[in-house]
Amino acid sequence: MRSAAPYAIVAATAVALGLGASGCSIKSDNADKVAGKKLFVQKCGSCHTLSRAGTKGVTGPNLDMAFARSRLDGLGQSGFQGVIEKQIGHPSRPGMLGTGTMPAGLVKGKQATDVAAYVAQSVARPGKDTGLLATAVGGVQSKKPAVEAGGVLKIPAAPGGQLEYVYAKAQAKAGPATIEMPNTSGVDHNIAIKGVGAGKIVAKGVSSFKADLKPGTYTYFCEVPGHEAAGMKGTLTVK
Ligand code: HEC
């Protein structure tokens, strides 16, 4: 747990940078915020919490908290956008917060502008996104359970990069089974069952392992730090 103090420092920095960058930013006009939101969820959300985007990553700072002060201080859209686009191109102060580092250039050019425009609009704003933004990133979780078939239990990771599996519940018969988690998101994930086994972590591909399932109720989850806490887990019932 980080204390509140570092956020205050970071927020102050953000304001200073933002004022510097606001003078030369007229880009926000033709940015595609809907595309920006999708990209944010896929490329940034596994590390950052941003309430309006529904992301819950904890590797990097909570962006709503980091920018709360700048929002209160009245930093404008172009100011926010400048700070965020700068951070995407040149992640600042690696290690300053005692957390990990942010890879540079996760999105580039127009995509970086789109992401920055979306974050600038939604960060540290109470409420929900409206209009086209509201439906840009649909919920992916099925209301149905994943059901084992022919000894294979398939539980895909959310394709859009959200920290969840497509199924929050699963059912299997007792006996030998292969647990498979197809992952097309590009975000590191695996599938593990507490007390049973775990597949390897993959950004694209299939995480899988074999198990001899015994009757009972189990939790399956992603072992990448922070992902289970953010909701990447489910309940498996074996009968
Ligand atoms: C692998 C994890 C990771 C990913 C992915 C990631 N970040 Fe970060 N981010 C961090 C970390 C760690 C920090 C704090 C250190 C730093 O400033 O570089 C950070 C800092 C930031 C900050 C500065 C916040 C502040 O307190 O001033 C912003 C803005 C930001 N990231 C936006 C983004 C955006 C936008 C994306 C997607 C293009 C992204 N991040 C992707 C880990 C990540």
Side-chain angles (χ1 to χ4, degrees):
M1 262 299 174
R2 267 175 260 125
S3 70
Y7 289 119
I9 295 164
V10 171
T13 316
V15 172
L17 288 169
L19 294 177
S22 61
C24 60
S25 191
I26 9 166
K27 294 175 215 154
S28 75
D29 298 327
N30 51 18
D32 180 346
K33 291 175 194 153
V34 171
K37 183 172 185 178
K38 289 191 176 125
L39 283 164
F40 179 85
V41 170
Q42 184 151 37
K43 304 281 188 181
C44 322
S46 63
C47 286
H48 289 291
T49 295
L50 199 171
S51 157
R52 281 177 168 240
T55 64
K56 295 174 183 158
V58 294
T59 307
N62 174 320
L63 294 182
D64 293 316
M65 288 171 81
F67 289 98
R69 183 61 199 268
S70 310
R71 184 67 78 193
L72 279 178
D73 287 348
L75 183 65
Q77 172 77 12
S78 64
F80 272 113
Q81 200 172 322
V83 180
I84 292 152
E85 210 166 334
K86 195 167 171 189
Q87 169 74 17
I88 294 171
H90 306 275
S92 57
R93 322 169 297 273
M96 175 188 159
L97 295 165
T99 57
T101 50
M102 174 165 151
L106 286 165
V107 283
K108 298 201 168 86
K110 172 81 163 73
Q111 292 195 325
T113 306
D114 291 348
V115 170
Y118 170 69
V119 176
Q121 170 162 319
S122 294
V123 76
R125 273 242 163 92
K128 290 188 189 329
D129 284 344
T130 55
L132 284 177
L133 281 178
T135 49
V137 187
V140 292
Q141 231 169 30
S142 170
K143 296 208 172 12
K144 295 181 184 153
V147 180
E148 173 249 296
V152 177
L153 178 61
K154 214 176 265 205
I155 305 175
Q162 295 94 333
L163 299 184
E164 58 191 35
Y165 296 109
V166 170
Y167 299 99
K169 289 198 171 99
Q171 296 166 358
K173 291 189 300 286
T178 304
I179 320 299
E180 290 185 359
M181 182 211 68
N183 180 13
T184 57
S185 71
V187 176
D188 276 351
H189 294 307
N190 81 338
I191 188 158
I193 300 179
K194 286 186 185 167
V196 176
K200 66 174 191 305
I201 293 173
V202 292
K204 275 202 194 297
V206 180
S207 173
S208 76
F209 64 97
K210 290 184 193 310
D212 189 13
L213 297 173
K214 310 257 184 295
T217 304
Y218 303 85
T219 298
Y220 57 90
F221 69 106
C222 175
E223 291 183 310
V224 174
H227 290 195
E228 184 190 6
M232 195 152 186
K233 62 181 172 185
T235 305
L236 166 66
T237 309
V238 180
K239 282 183 181 153

